[in-house]
Amino acid sequence: MIEVKNLSKQFKVPTEKKGLFGPKKKNFLAVDSLEFNLEQGKVLSILGPNGCGKTTTLRMIAGMLEPSKGTAIVDGLDVRKHKHSVKSKIGYMTNNTSLYDRLNVVETIKFFADLNQIPEDVYKPRAEQLFEQLDMKNYLLKRIADLSTGMKQKTSIVRTLIHDPDVVILDEPTTGVDVTGQSVIIDLIKSIKDSGKTLIFSTHQLGEVRDIADQIVCMKSGKKVFDGTTDDFQAINSNKNFNEIFMELVDE
């Protein structure tokens, strides 16, 4: 189970005013007092326009960013007190994940498996299964630098799942992937769901949400504006589709 309690993150951002040591800065609240619960084995989609705080929220839950206030509890562990233990439970992928250009796909996955101290006889069959699911067999010996954006994205997903985490967090996993690749990734996400893992993903593709999510949290300007099931979301206005309801929720 994941419990998000009064989670907030404040950044210092430059202003147009000049100071002695460069532009003056002001406080910017990227995530503001966010709260929600996600049951074990359920799938949550976080929705919102660019800049609403989705990625900041996911990074705080994953222990990659220190909250300014509040916390997240992952399987009973407070991310502020047990950051390393939480990280070991989570597989986190963002579309900004850096991969090493000089390594090929197989070498990349081996590198991350070694980082997680996974024995070869454990990670190899797991990697082979993921390569098969993501239709990557013809690209395994290609250097990362030579891969398309979509294939880099798939490699990042394998890296994320190679240690078989209990909780999977995917930040816009289909960004930069063609229609065929999106379908393959969605099928993989469904298989993650079927395996009983807890899954959080953010996306701009609302069709993905309707097909996969058990729960939706919608954000606007760092605040939660909706938290409920997909049926609850549709029930906001039964005469409108998901896109229209979403636009109403986040419209300024």
Side-chain angles (χ1 to χ4, degrees):
M1 182 175 181
I2 296 176
E3 302 171 77
V4 172
K5 300 180 176 181
N6 197 32
L7 195 63
S8 303
K9 184 61 184 179
Q10 182 173 275
F11 294 103
K12 293 279 190 180
V13 296
T15 68
E16 294 181 357
K17 296 181 179 180
K18 298 291 184 180
L20 183 62
F21 299 102
K24 290 187 176 181
K25 294 185 177 182
K26 64 179 180 180
N27 293 328
F28 170 69
L29 200 55
V31 178
D32 186 2
S33 306
L34 183 65
E35 296 200 351
F36 63 82
N37 292 333
L38 177 62
E39 294 180 16
Q40 184 174 346
K42 297 295 185 179
V43 178
L44 167 69
S45 179
I46 298 184
L47 303 179
N50 288 336
C52 73
K54 300 189 300 294
T55 295
T56 300
T57 297
L58 297 180
R59 292 183 67 195
M60 286 191 285
I61 294 172
M64 300 179 67
L65 191 63
E66 185 77 17
S68 301
K69 187 173 65 174
T71 192
I73 311 295
V74 180
D75 288 345
L77 297 173
D78 189 320
V79 71
R80 301 189 76 152
K81 299 176 182 177
H82 308 285
K83 184 183 300 183
H84 295 295
S85 297
V86 169
K87 283 183 177 180
S88 69
K89 286 179 168 288
I90 289 178
Y92 176 84
M93 191 214 79
T94 173
N95 54 25
N96 293 319
T97 299
S98 295
L99 299 172
Y100 297 98
D101 283 348
R102 294 184 179 182
L103 299 181
N104 65 34
V105 173
V106 171
E107 291 168 340
T108 297
I109 300 310
K110 181 182 184 304
F111 173 78
F112 284 103
D114 289 344
L115 279 182
N116 286 282
Q117 300 180 321
I118 306 172
E120 191 173 281
D121 62 335
V122 174
Y123 88 77
K124 275 192 172 181
R126 189 176 296 158
E128 288 173 3
Q129 180 183 0
L130 290 167
F131 291 148
E132 183 72 35
Q133 283 182 278
L134 291 168
D135 194 22
M136 298 176 65
K137 290 284 189 177
N138 295 329
Y139 301 89
L140 300 183
L141 299 181
K142 284 195 172 186
R143 293 169 65 244
I144 298 298
D146 299 326
L147 295 178
S148 66
T149 300
M151 199 54 62
K152 287 179 182 178
Q153 193 80 327
K154 289 182 179 182
T155 304
S156 290
I157 291 174
V158 178
R159 175 201 68 81
T160 300
L161 300 176
I162 196 62
H163 63 297
D164 196 26
D166 297 326
V167 178
V168 179
I169 298 177
L170 304 176
D171 190 1
E172 299 189 18
T174 57
T175 297
V177 184
D178 62 24
V179 175
T180 302
Q182 288 179 15
S183 178
V184 169
I185 291 174
I186 292 303
D187 286 343
L188 176 64
I189 291 174
K190 288 178 180 177
S191 73
I192 295 171
K193 176 180 180 178
D194 292 342
S195 72
K197 294 183 185 297
T198 305
L199 172 64
I200 303 177
F201 74 103
S202 68
T203 182
H204 290 290
Q205 305 295 328
L206 297 190
E208 299 172 2
V209 176
R210 190 171 52 247
D211 293 341
I212 300 170
D214 300 303
Q215 180 179 344
I216 296 171
V217 167
C218 189
M219 297 178 65
K220 171 184 171 182
S221 302
K223 290 181 175 290
K224 182 179 73 175
V225 294
F226 176 84
D227 181 4
T229 66
T230 52
D231 289 340
D232 293 335
F233 191 85
Q234 184 63 68
I236 293 174
N237 192 328
S238 59
N239 295 319
K240 295 189 175 183
N241 61 38
F242 260 48
N243 283 292
E244 292 170 328
I245 294 170
F246 171 74
M247 292 306 297
E248 281 190 351
L249 284 171
V250 301
D251 184 31
E252 295 294 339

